[in-house]
Amino acid sequence: MNKMTKELHAFLLQHVNEMAQEWLDSREIEEHSVYTADASSEVTEYLREQNQYFTRAIVQALKDGSFKNLSGWVQKITTKRACLGNPLYLSIRHFKMFRFIFLNKVEAFVSLHQSSIIQRDILLWNRTLNEAFDRMIELFTMYYGQVAEAQAYAQKMLISELSTPVISISDTVGVLPLIGQIDDYKSNDFVERIMVQAKDLELSCLIIDLSGVPSIDTMMTNELFQVVNMLELLGIDTTITGIRPEIALTAVHLGIDFSKIRTYGKLKDAVNNLLHIR
């Protein structure tokens, strides 16, 4: 490691706290996000500590070109983010935001030492630091996918093992939580069980919760709303919760009329409202 790289290494370590604060100050209000600007002081301090650790690991890459300190830390952090349900795209957005802050600090160092820095140093620093950030994002995405897949599989297995997929929450209201890919439920037996159970439970309303469904294609969206029509024939109103924007867009493209169906963003809101009504 040459003299100027050593000085950059020391300079960045001196500004670890400053960069962390700048990143925390850049946050905005984000619903369902650990990064939201209105997070508790405990969460904010947790984020500060994790950011400082990450910064030191990135700076270490300048010293020895090693990314070995990243993998274990990324796996631990990713597991926690995924278990909290923090959307992946928000984490990626904040990595990009912090990369901008970090590289701005490198630029500040270059401006202070222009006469002593050669172009080859700048190119090396840029390549090393960007590779470290890219490696971080790659690992984070990989581990997040693994955790999310494991969660979805476990939940799907739990649902499939239940003899009663419809959960009764009152004398007249039931909930059908769908988890994983909608096509996992594509079987006449599953649909028939829904109908039979809803009728046997003497439900007047069934809540179909889609918050655990990551995506849905055109065919399955159409089949889902066919189920809604079948329930209507049985005299059972349907309420749908947790509809993601892409699902709503697919339904609109199909010309499906939402006007006769209650929809809520969150399951708890539908439950509170329907139980209050009844």
Side-chain angles (χ1 to χ4, degrees), residues 1-59:
M1 184 167 60
N2 64 31
K3 178 176 180 293
M4 294 313 300
T5 300
K6 288 181 180 179
E7 291 194 18
L8 174 59
H9 180 274
F11 175 84
L12 292 172
L13 289 180
Q14 290 171 3
H15 292 83
V16 167
N17 294 339
E18 178 184 331
M19 286 188 282
Q21 188 59 53
E22 186 175 349
W23 171 63
L24 290 171
D25 291 342
S26 71
R27 294 174 301 164
E28 299 177 350
I29 303 295
E30 298 174 337
E31 190 174 0
H32 309 307
S33 171
V34 70
Y35 304 107
T36 184
D38 60 354
S40 67
S41 58
E42 290 81 4
V43 171
T44 298
E45 288 310 305
Y46 164 77
L47 291 174
R48 186 192 308 278
E49 291 173 6
Q50 295 303 327
N51 179 271
Q52 291 169 343
Y53 182 94
F54 171 58
T55 302
R56 293 188 180 97
I58 294 291
V59 173

Side-chain angles (χ1 to χ4, degrees), residues 238-249:
T238 304
T239 295
I240 298 181
T241 63
I243 298 179
R244 296 173 183 267
E246 56 268 30
I247 296 177
L249 186 60

Side-chain angles (χ1 to χ4, degrees), residues 170-225:
S170 79
D171 291 340
T172 58
V173 180
V175 177
L176 173 64
L178 297 182
I179 300 171
Q181 298 294 335
I182 283 291
D183 56 9
D184 294 330
Y185 302 92
K186 188 179 179 181
S187 72
N188 291 331
D189 178 63
F190 185 81
V191 174
E192 287 176 7
R193 279 195 292 153
I194 294 174
M195 302 301 163
V196 171
Q197 287 179 247
K199 194 65 177 177
D200 288 347
L201 291 171
E202 299 182 350
L203 300 180
S204 60
C205 179
L206 178 65
I207 303 171
I208 301 178
D209 181 49
L210 301 179
S211 58
V213 177
S215 63
I216 184 172
D217 61 20
T218 300
M219 180 179 297
M220 296 315 301
T221 301
N222 188 56
E223 290 198 12
L224 176 63
F225 281 87

Side-chain angles (χ1 to χ4, degrees), residues 48-156:
R48 186 192 308 278
E49 291 173 6
Q50 295 303 327
N51 179 271
Q52 291 169 343
Y53 182 94
F54 171 58
T55 302
R56 293 188 180 97
I58 294 291
V59 173
Q60 182 65 26
L62 278 174
K63 185 176 182 180
D64 56 18
S66 171
F67 307 109
K68 62 183 180 181
N69 292 334
L70 287 178
S71 184
W73 177 82
V74 175
Q75 188 170 19
K76 178 181 177 181
I77 295 303
T78 304
T79 300
K80 189 164 186 176
R81 296 284 192 279
C83 289
L84 288 173
N86 196 79
L88 178 59
Y89 78 91
L90 288 179
S91 293
I92 301 302
R93 177 191 296 173
H94 282 274
F95 285 132
K96 292 171 64 178
M97 289 168 57
F98 186 67
R99 188 204 299 249
F100 179 79
I101 293 170
F102 191 98
L103 294 180
N104 273 349
K105 193 60 65 177
V106 175
E107 288 182 13
F109 175 82
V110 172
S111 296
L112 290 172
H113 303 278
Q114 287 183 354
S115 60
S116 305
I117 298 175
I118 61 176
Q119 186 178 15
R120 186 174 62 182
D121 286 334
I122 297 175
L123 293 175
L124 176 61
W125 298 339
N126 183 68
R127 183 172 69 247
T128 301
L129 294 173
N130 275 297
E131 183 179 353
F133 271 94
D134 289 342
R135 181 71 64 86
M136 168 67 183
I137 293 174
E138 179 183 339
L139 288 171
F140 192 96
T141 303
M142 179 184 72
Y143 288 133
Y144 191 101
Q146 291 176 354
V147 173
E149 184 178 347
Q151 287 179 319
Y153 180 78
Q155 291 171 328
K156 185 173 67 176

